[in-house]
PDB file of all heavy atoms in Angstrom:
ATOM      1  N   LEU A 234     -14.183 -42.923  21.849  1.00 98.00           N
ATOM      2  CA  LEU A 234     -12.843 -43.090  22.415  1.00 98.00           C
ATOM      3  C   LEU A 234     -12.352 -44.524  22.234  1.00 98.00           C
ATOM      4  O   LEU A 234     -11.286 -44.757  21.661  1.00 98.00           O
ATOM      5  CB  LEU A 234     -12.877 -42.712  23.905  1.00 98.00           C
ATOM      6  CG  LEU A 234     -11.704 -43.177  24.766  1.00 98.00           C
ATOM      7  CD1 LEU A 234     -10.392 -42.600  24.280  1.00 98.00           C
ATOM      8  CD2 LEU A 234     -11.943 -42.822  26.225  1.00 98.00           C
ATOM      9  N   SER A 235     -13.138 -45.484  22.704  1.00 98.00           N
ATOM     10  CA  SER A 235     -12.683 -46.887  22.754  1.00 98.00           C
ATOM     11  C   SER A 235     -13.550 -47.823  21.929  1.00 98.00           C
ATOM     12  O   SER A 235     -13.258 -49.002  21.835  1.00 98.00           O
ATOM     13  CB  SER A 235     -12.715 -47.372  24.205  1.00 98.00           C
ATOM     14  OG  SER A 235     -14.061 -47.493  24.645  1.00 98.00           O
ATOM     15  N   GLY A 236     -14.647 -47.299  21.363  1.00 98.00           N
ATOM     16  CA  GLY A 236     -15.548 -48.116  20.571  1.00 98.00           C
ATOM     17  C   GLY A 236     -16.726 -48.704  21.326  1.00 98.00           C
ATOM     18  O   GLY A 236     -17.572 -49.363  20.724  1.00 98.00           O
ATOM     19  N   HIS A 237     -16.809 -48.454  22.645  1.00 98.00           N
ATOM     20  CA  HIS A 237     -17.886 -49.077  23.434  1.00 98.00           C
ATOM     21  C   HIS A 237     -19.185 -48.266  23.359  1.00 98.00           C
ATOM     22  O   HIS A 237     -19.677 -47.740  24.361  1.00 98.00           O
ATOM     23  CB  HIS A 237     -17.429 -49.271  24.878  1.00 98.00           C
ATOM     24  CG  HIS A 237     -16.357 -50.310  24.991  1.00 98.00           C
ATOM     25  ND1 HIS A 237     -15.033 -50.040  24.732  1.00 98.00           N
ATOM     26  CD2 HIS A 237     -16.427 -51.644  25.264  1.00 98.00           C
ATOM     27  CE1 HIS A 237     -14.322 -51.152  24.866  1.00 98.00           C
ATOM     28  NE2 HIS A 237     -15.133 -52.136  25.187  1.00 98.00           N
ATOM     29  N   ALA A 238     -19.754 -48.226  22.158  1.00 98.00           N
ATOM     30  CA  ALA A 238     -20.986 -47.465  21.925  1.00 98.00           C
ATOM     31  C   ALA A 238     -22.168 -48.087  22.668  1.00 98.00           C
ATOM     32  O   ALA A 238     -23.045 -47.382  23.160  1.00 98.00           O
ATOM     33  CB  ALA A 238     -21.279 -47.393  20.436  1.00 98.00           C
ATOM     34  N   GLY A 239     -22.175 -49.421  22.776  1.00 97.00           N
ATOM     35  CA  GLY A 239     -23.282 -50.108  23.433  1.00 97.00           C
ATOM     36  C   GLY A 239     -23.318 -49.892  24.939  1.00 97.00           C
ATOM     37  O   GLY A 239     -24.316 -50.195  25.583  1.00 97.00           O
ATOM     38  N   THR A 240     -22.233 -49.364  25.482  1.00 97.00           N
ATOM     39  CA  THR A 240     -22.155 -49.133  26.935  1.00 97.00           C
ATOM     40  C   THR A 240     -22.887 -47.863  27.353  1.00 97.00           C
ATOM     41  O   THR A 240     -23.328 -47.732  28.487  1.00 97.00           O
ATOM     42  CB  THR A 240     -20.674 -49.116  27.370  1.00 97.00           C
ATOM     43  OG1 THR A 240     -20.162 -50.433  27.210  1.00 97.00           O
ATOM     44  CG2 THR A 240     -20.475 -48.695  28.809  1.00 97.00           C
ATOM     45  N   ARG A 241     -23.073 -46.932  26.439  1.00 98.00           N
ATOM     46  CA  ARG A 241     -23.817 -45.680  26.680  1.00 98.00           C
ATOM     47  C   ARG A 241     -23.259 -44.900  27.867  1.00 98.00           C
ATOM     48  O   ARG A 241     -23.984 -44.645  28.844  1.00 98.00           O
ATOM     49  CB  ARG A 241     -25.325 -45.933  26.872  1.00 98.00           C
ATOM     50  CG  ARG A 241     -26.033 -46.809  25.863  1.00 98.00           C
ATOM     51  CD  ARG A 241     -25.897 -46.394  24.402  1.00 98.00           C
ATOM     52  NE  ARG A 241     -26.112 -44.992  24.174  1.00 98.00           N
ATOM     53  CZ  ARG A 241     -25.193 -44.208  23.567  1.00 98.00           C
ATOM     54  NH1 ARG A 241     -24.046 -44.657  23.144  1.00 98.00           N
ATOM     55  NH2 ARG A 241     -25.461 -42.949  23.391  1.00 98.00           N
ATOM     56  N   VAL A 242     -22.001 -44.525  27.789  1.00 98.00           N
ATOM     57  CA  VAL A 242     -21.419 -43.675  28.817  1.00 98.00           C
ATOM     58  C   VAL A 242     -20.694 -42.501  28.177  1.00 98.00           C
ATOM     59  O   VAL A 242     -19.877 -42.680  27.265  1.00 98.00           O
ATOM     60  CB  VAL A 242     -20.445 -44.455  29.733  1.00 98.00           C
ATOM     61  CG1 VAL A 242     -19.576 -43.506  30.559  1.00 98.00           C
ATOM     62  CG2 VAL A 242     -21.220 -45.368  30.671  1.00 98.00           C
ATOM     63  N   GLY A 243     -21.034 -41.309  28.628  1.00 98.00           N
ATOM     64  CA  GLY A 243     -20.312 -40.109  28.252  1.00 98.00           C
ATOM     65  C   GLY A 243     -20.025 -39.314  29.506  1.00 98.00           C
ATOM     66  O   GLY A 243     -20.522 -39.640  30.584  1.00 98.00           O
ATOM     67  N   TRP A 244     -19.203 -38.261  29.368  1.00 98.00           N
ATOM     68  CA  TRP A 244     -18.970 -37.405  30.521  1.00 98.00           C
ATOM     69  C   TRP A 244     -18.758 -35.969  30.061  1.00 98.00           C
ATOM     70  O   TRP A 244     -18.384 -35.725  28.920  1.00 98.00           O
ATOM     71  CB  TRP A 244     -17.797 -37.897  31.383  1.00 98.00           C
ATOM     72  CG  TRP A 244     -16.426 -37.815  30.783  1.00 98.00           C
ATOM     73  CD1 TRP A 244     -15.463 -36.867  31.017  1.00 98.00           C
ATOM     74  CD2 TRP A 244     -15.825 -38.736  29.851  1.00 98.00           C
ATOM     75  NE1 TRP A 244     -14.326 -37.142  30.296  1.00 98.00           N
ATOM     76  CE2 TRP A 244     -14.519 -38.283  29.581  1.00 98.00           C
ATOM     77  CE3 TRP A 244     -16.287 -39.907  29.217  1.00 98.00           C
ATOM     78  CZ2 TRP A 244     -13.659 -38.952  28.699  1.00 98.00           C
ATOM     79  CZ3 TRP A 244     -15.426 -40.566  28.336  1.00 98.00           C
ATOM     80  CH2 TRP A 244     -14.135 -40.086  28.091  1.00 98.00           C
ATOM     81  N   ALA A 245     -19.047 -35.053  30.950  1.00 98.00           N
ATOM     82  CA  ALA A 245     -18.855 -33.625  30.662  1.00 98.00           C
ATOM     83  C   ALA A 245     -17.877 -33.064  31.681  1.00 98.00           C
ATOM     84  O   ALA A 245     -17.918 -33.429  32.857  1.00 98.00           O
ATOM     85  CB  ALA A 245     -20.188 -32.896  30.760  1.00 98.00           C
ATOM     86  N   LEU A 246     -16.996 -32.183  31.228  1.00 98.00           N
ATOM     87  CA  LEU A 246     -16.141 -31.394  32.112  1.00 98.00           C
ATOM     88  C   LEU A 246     -16.698 -29.977  32.093  1.00 98.00           C
ATOM     89  O   LEU A 246     -16.854 -29.379  31.024  1.00 98.00           O
ATOM     90  CB  LEU A 246     -14.690 -31.418  31.630  1.00 98.00           C
ATOM     91  CG  LEU A 246     -14.038 -32.805  31.574  1.00 98.00           C
ATOM     92  CD1 LEU A 246     -12.661 -32.733  30.905  1.00 98.00           C
ATOM     93  CD2 LEU A 246     -13.930 -33.409  32.970  1.00 98.00           C
ATOM     94  N   VAL A 247     -17.023 -29.466  33.273  1.00 98.00           N
ATOM     95  CA  VAL A 247     -17.786 -28.228  33.372  1.00 98.00           C
ATOM     96  C   VAL A 247     -17.073 -27.265  34.324  1.00 98.00           C
ATOM     97  O   VAL A 247     -16.638 -27.672  35.403  1.00 98.00           O
ATOM     98  CB  VAL A 247     -19.219 -28.530  33.883  1.00 98.00           C
ATOM     99  CG1 VAL A 247     -20.067 -27.258  33.929  1.00 98.00           C
ATOM    100  CG2 VAL A 247     -19.889 -29.583  33.008  1.00 98.00           C
ATOM    101  N   LYS A 248     -16.980 -26.004  33.926  1.00 98.00           N
ATOM    102  CA  LYS A 248     -16.285 -25.025  34.771  1.00 98.00           C
ATOM    103  C   LYS A 248     -17.163 -24.488  35.906  1.00 98.00           C
ATOM    104  O   LYS A 248     -16.704 -24.308  37.016  1.00 98.00           O
ATOM    105  CB  LYS A 248     -15.819 -23.834  33.913  1.00 98.00           C
ATOM    106  CG  LYS A 248     -14.519 -24.097  33.166  1.00 98.00           C
ATOM    107  CD  LYS A 248     -14.022 -22.804  32.514  1.00 98.00           C
ATOM    108  CE  LYS A 248     -12.830 -23.101  31.613  1.00 98.00           C
ATOM    109  NZ  LYS A 248     -12.457 -21.942  30.803  1.00 98.00           N
ATOM    110  N   ASP A 249     -18.413 -24.181  35.581  1.00 98.00           N
ATOM    111  CA  ASP A 249     -19.299 -23.500  36.528  1.00 98.00           C
ATOM    112  C   ASP A 249     -20.102 -24.529  37.333  1.00 98.00           C
ATOM    113  O   ASP A 249     -20.856 -25.333  36.761  1.00 98.00           O
ATOM    114  CB  ASP A 249     -20.224 -22.574  35.733  1.00 98.00           C
ATOM    115  CG  ASP A 249     -21.149 -21.754  36.615  1.00 98.00           C
ATOM    116  OD1 ASP A 249     -21.583 -22.233  37.678  1.00 98.00           O
ATOM    117  OD2 ASP A 249     -21.466 -20.628  36.220  1.00 98.00           O
ATOM    118  N   VAL A 250     -19.978 -24.468  38.639  1.00 98.00           N
ATOM    119  CA  VAL A 250     -20.646 -25.477  39.464  1.00 98.00           C
ATOM    120  C   VAL A 250     -22.171 -25.410  39.341  1.00 98.00           C
ATOM    121  O   VAL A 250     -22.860 -26.435  39.407  1.00 98.00           O
ATOM    122  CB  VAL A 250     -20.202 -25.377  40.951  1.00 98.00           C
ATOM    123  CG1 VAL A 250     -20.701 -24.091  41.605  1.00 98.00           C
ATOM    124  CG2 VAL A 250     -20.663 -26.602  41.736  1.00 98.00           C
ATOM    125  N   GLU A 251     -22.718 -24.203  39.156  1.00 98.00           N
ATOM    126  CA  GLU A 251     -24.179 -24.091  39.045  1.00 98.00           C
ATOM    127  C   GLU A 251     -24.687 -24.753  37.766  1.00 98.00           C
ATOM    128  O   GLU A 251     -25.747 -25.380  37.754  1.00 98.00           O
ATOM    129  CB  GLU A 251     -24.627 -22.621  39.120  1.00 98.00           C
ATOM    130  CG  GLU A 251     -24.346 -21.965  40.471  1.00 98.00           C
ATOM    131  CD  GLU A 251     -24.883 -22.772  41.678  1.00 98.00           C
ATOM    132  OE1 GLU A 251     -25.973 -23.345  41.548  1.00 98.00           O
ATOM    133  OE2 GLU A 251     -24.187 -22.842  42.709  1.00 98.00           O
ATOM    134  N   VAL A 252     -23.931 -24.587  36.680  1.00 98.00           N
ATOM    135  CA  VAL A 252     -24.281 -25.261  35.423  1.00 98.00           C
ATOM    136  C   VAL A 252     -24.190 -26.780  35.613  1.00 98.00           C
ATOM    137  O   VAL A 252     -25.091 -27.532  35.221  1.00 98.00           O
ATOM    138  CB  VAL A 252     -23.365 -24.786  34.273  1.00 98.00           C
ATOM    139  CG1 VAL A 252     -23.559 -25.642  33.025  1.00 98.00           C
ATOM    140  CG2 VAL A 252     -23.629 -23.316  33.963  1.00 98.00           C
ATOM    141  N   ALA A 253     -23.118 -27.219  36.239  1.00 98.00           N
ATOM    142  CA  ALA A 253     -22.922 -28.656  36.471  1.00 98.00           C
ATOM    143  C   ALA A 253     -24.073 -29.232  37.313  1.00 98.00           C
ATOM    144  O   ALA A 253     -24.585 -30.315  37.030  1.00 98.00           O
ATOM    145  CB  ALA A 253     -21.586 -28.894  37.160  1.00 98.00           C
TER     146      ALA A 253
END
Side-chain angles (χ1 to χ4, degrees):
Chain A
L234 163 61
S235 69
H237 291 81
T240 292
R241 311 305 314 124
V242 165
W244 68 101
L246 299 172
V247 183
K248 279 188 188 171
D249 183 326
V250 68
E251 295 308 322
V252 170

